């Protein structure tokens, strides 16, 4: 009798324990991160939104909220929800003066440039550039400098883009990316110069 009762109740206890664990913010975030890494962006969005909601209730550490807000932007990018992604990355850059959000500032700014280019909303790059310049007053990380160079390239300010890319040095991954930006800027300038050369050649 007693043994059978224990055997009957054990699965219920296990289920309750699992449910409690999976609704902990850190566990939800870890599961969302895994979903995103394995191509399950929709599932990641669902869990990350739960973390954000728990954050609004004051039940989550700010560092975990910041992680979730940035990752949520990444997940929206994966699903092609570009306006939602932009909202998330703007939120991260708006809060970048807080220590929890600061590590994501540069990466979020780069993503804002990517979103503007994908949407072909080039006018929004001026806002991104203003955000980056504001953030760089407190932090001149290579990620932010790269975001600035990329935004300038998107605005067809090729000389400025090359100068910004030249300022990225060291051994980080952004050095190679900056070299690519310089190459694109040079190519665009060369393409723009061709009609002028042809015009000069045709003139008497």
């Amino acid at each position: 009798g007693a043994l059978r009762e224990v055997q009957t109740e054990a699965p219920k206890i296990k289920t309750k324990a699992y449910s409690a664990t999976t609704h902990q913010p850190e566990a939800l975030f870890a599961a969302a991160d895994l979903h995103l890494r394995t191509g399950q962006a929709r599932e990641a969005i669902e869990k990350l939104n739960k973390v954000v909601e728990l954050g609004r209730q004051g039940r989550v550490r700010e560092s975990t909220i910041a992680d979730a807000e940035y990752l949520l932007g990444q997940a929206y990018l994966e699903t092609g929800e570009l306006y939602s992604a932009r909202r998330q990355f703007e939120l991260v850059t708006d809060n970048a003066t807080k220590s929890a959000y600061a590590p994501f500032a540069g990466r979020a700014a780069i993503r804002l440039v990517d979103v503007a280019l994908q949407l072909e909303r080039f006018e929004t790059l001026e806002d991104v550039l203003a955000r980056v310049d504001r953030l760089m007053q407190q932090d001149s990380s290579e990620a932010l400098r790269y975001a600035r160079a990329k935004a300038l390239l998107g605005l067809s300010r090729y000389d400025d883009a090359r100068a910004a890319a030249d300022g990225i040095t060291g051994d980080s991954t952004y050095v190679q990316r900056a070299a690519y930006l310089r190459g694109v800027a040079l190519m665009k300038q060369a393409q723009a110069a061709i009609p002028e050369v042809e015009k000069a050649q045709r003139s008497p």
Side-chain angles (χ1 to χ4, degrees):
L3 180 58
R4 179 171 294 180
E5 186 177 339
V6 169
Q7 289 173 334
T8 302
E9 292 298 319
K12 297 179 183 178
I13 295 168
K14 185 177 179 181
T15 300
K16 289 178 181 178
Y18 176 77
S19 177
T21 302
T22 53
H23 284 82
Q24 293 297 319
E26 289 76 12
L28 282 168
F29 177 81
D33 188 32
L34 184 60
H35 281 315
L36 199 55
R37 290 173 188 273
T38 54
Q40 302 175 74
R42 292 285 178 195
E43 291 82 353
I45 288 169
E46 180 185 352
K47 287 181 171 60
L48 289 167
N49 274 317
K50 288 179 181 178
V51 176
V52 171
E53 179 56 36
L54 289 169
R56 293 194 185 103
Q57 298 170 17
R59 296 164 61 186
V60 185
R61 292 179 301 176
E62 190 171 46
S63 60
T64 303
I65 299 172
D67 286 341
E69 297 282 18
Y70 176 77
L71 205 64
L72 190 52
Q74 291 285 93
Y76 281 131
L77 271 186
E78 290 290 327
T79 60
E81 297 171 78
L82 298 179
Y83 288 100
S84 295
R86 185 172 69 184
R87 183 189 67 234
Q88 287 302 128
F89 294 129
E90 284 178 346
L91 185 151
V92 172
T93 55
D94 284 343
N95 287 281
T97 53
K98 300 176 183 177
S99 59
Y101 288 85
F104 302 105
R107 283 177 285 168
I110 292 168
R111 292 307 188 198
L112 283 173
V113 177
D114 293 337
V115 168
L117 296 176
Q118 288 185 52
L119 289 171
E120 297 186 350
R121 294 288 303 276
F122 302 108
E123 73 280 2
T124 63
L125 288 171
E126 292 286 1
D127 174 69
V128 178
L129 195 58
R131 286 172 182 271
V132 171
D133 287 341
R134 191 163 57 246
L135 290 169
M136 286 183 70
Q137 293 175 11
Q138 280 82 38
D139 175 23
S140 58
S141 70
E142 291 192 343
L144 280 171
R145 283 186 281 167
Y146 177 77
R148 189 173 192 278
K150 195 168 187 178
L152 289 166
L153 182 64
L155 288 165
S156 302
R157 292 170 55 181
Y158 302 125
D159 284 333
D160 293 335
R162 285 168 56 195
D166 285 338
I168 301 171
T169 58
D171 300 321
S172 77
T173 56
Y174 295 108
V175 175
Q176 289 184 331
R177 296 183 191 179
Y180 174 77
L181 288 186
R182 280 196 298 274
V184 173
L186 284 167
M187 182 185 70
K188 294 286 188 182
Q189 287 178 312
Q191 289 173 341
I194 290 172
E196 294 299 320
V197 171
E198 291 176 345
K199 183 179 178 182
Q201 289 173 342
R202 287 196 302 268
S203 61

